[in-house]
Amino acid sequence: MRGVSCSAFRAARVVVALALFAAGCQTLPPPPAPYGPVPTAAQLAWQQMEYYMFVHFGPNTFTDREWGDGGEDPRVFCPSALDCRQWAETARQAGMKGIIITAKHHDGFCLWPSRYSRHTVRESGWRDGTGDVLRELSDACREAGLKVGLYLSPWDRNHPSYGSPDYNDVFAGMLAEVLTDYGEVFEQWFDGANGEGPNGKKQVYDWPLFHQTVYRCQPQAVIFSDVGPGCRWVGNEEGRAGETNWSRLDTFGLQPGHIPSPEVLTSGHILGHAWIPAETDVSIRPGWFYSRATDSRLKSTDELRDIYYSSIGRNSNLLLNVPPNRAGRIHPSDSLRLLEFRAAIEADFRHNRLAGATVTAGNTRGEAACYAADHLLDDDFDSYWAADDTVRAVTLEITLPERTTFSRLLLQEYIPLGQRIAAFDVDYWNDEANDWTPLASASTIGYKRILRFPDTTSDRLRIHIRLALACPILSTVALY
Ligand code: FUL
């Protein structure tokens, strides 16, 4: 009897211990609640693409103009050796994740045989009017594992109905064609330009109709315009996002063409009501379209590298324009420059100096291992360090395995829960001064922030988050 009750007692103790353990698990803090607007799954996937190619191609390529007036003879469009596979292969080797093409620029010429226009590849005579650039490009991109995006200018200097309500239906019809016939589209790029058509009239664009058409045909497509709704223009064509760059924007009363100041587009709004991250579009050449005159005027590798840091390094995607020539191929100088640029970036990020480092945080959410600072060093974007809900300022301290020299710090917020950090400082331990020495101060982080500073040698680094709008959550810290 006694023996039985003893083992019953032991069993009871195990049950109690298990119950306590389970209760302990249940008291683990829940993940932080989302703060403010957050990206949709499509916007997150878009942000993670980071870098893709813009292709300006059309009659302007053959007339050496930036803006065709729509009166061009369609037969000027006549690439002698169009090779979209070469574009896709170039983009892939450059490390890009997709290609966005000017399916229709302001001159109205359609790179596909649209039913809604008489100013298309069909009328060009190229390949006896049977060619379709969108078909070739979308096939080539799929083969190369790249995503496809489409630029369509609502401003149309050729279409006879431009300037009348009918044109909105024409444009929506064109959109439906390109968004139905060529597979998945990751981004629909709307140019906000709104000039006069062939009869001197301006169009009142039906943006709700255009947006509905995109979402009906391609629900996952991210819509670019000056003011979103999927992503926004960065406010300049120089490759520069703001040092402060919120992925949030207030767009009340705004629409493409009626936009906030460039400074606002460059920096976003700290408390903007919508998640509308910035996309930085810039050309590798002085113009958007190919011109022989610019063959020797490509941006240098150093300029492109600076653009990388001022776009991707400042919480923006980079859409780099590489215009094909009259043959319909990317010029060898552009291809070479893209490869040099990729090599320069890869060299910059080859060795993460935080391999083997340890990080401690002044606060960890519920002191729970699942939110601990060591998640900052793994390669998993979805694991993160988070602080308690009440925390707005906190310090992370990093100890490297040995003294090493570095000049770039990369940080990522876990943006599926919103953008939170508004100000932070970075210090390093200075052996000579036997004290912490300031290295950098910055404002926003967002999806990715990369700080550059002079070569610094140390084995300790401190990141002091001075202000977060809600408890800070970081996914990644890396040092190069
Ligand atoms: C602008 C256009 O007017 C330029 O030609 C170019 O396409 C640029 C990307 O967008 O609005």
Side-chain angles (χ1 to χ4, degrees), residues 352-360 371-381 383-385 396-401 409-412 461 463 474-480:
N352 182 359
R353 304 292 169 188
L354 297 190
T358 53
V359 199
T360 55
Y371 304 118
D374 47 2
H375 291 299
L376 293 166
L377 302 185
D378 63 27
D379 283 334
D380 181 1
F381 179 72
S383 78
Y384 52 79
W385 158 79
L396 296 162
E397 200 172 312
I398 304 170
T399 307
L400 281 65
L409 176 71
L410 183 153
L411 298 165
Q412 291 191 283
L461 199 71
I463 300 165
L474 284 174
S475 172
T476 310
V477 178
L479 189 68
Y480 301 93

Side-chain angles (χ1 to χ4, degrees), residues 327-411:
R329 296 174 60 87
I330 292 173
H331 191 279
S333 310
D334 303 55
S335 306
L336 184 61
R337 187 54 41 81
L338 289 175
L339 296 184
E340 289 166 348
F341 173 37
R342 178 181 185 167
I345 295 301
E346 283 184 351
D348 278 4
F349 294 95
R350 188 154 296 135
H351 300 297
N352 182 359
R353 304 292 169 188
L354 297 190
T358 53
V359 199
T360 55
N363 176 283
T364 294
R365 191 172 184 77
E367 292 178 19
C370 54
Y371 304 118
D374 47 2
H375 291 299
L376 293 166
L377 302 185
D378 63 27
D379 283 334
D380 181 1
F381 179 72
D382 290 315
S383 78
Y384 52 79
W385 158 79
D388 285 320
D389 281 338
T390 52
V391 171
R392 297 292 177 272
V394 58
T395 301
L396 296 162
E397 200 172 312
I398 304 170
T399 307
L400 281 65
E402 57 190 355
R403 272 168 63 81
T404 179
T405 301
F406 46 82
S407 57
R408 287 171 300 276
L409 176 71
L410 183 153
L411 298 165

Side-chain angles (χ1 to χ4, degrees), residues 63-74:
T63 56
D64 224 336
R65 297 180 75 174
E66 280 295 314
W67 279 8
D69 60 20
E72 295 79 18
D73 184 332

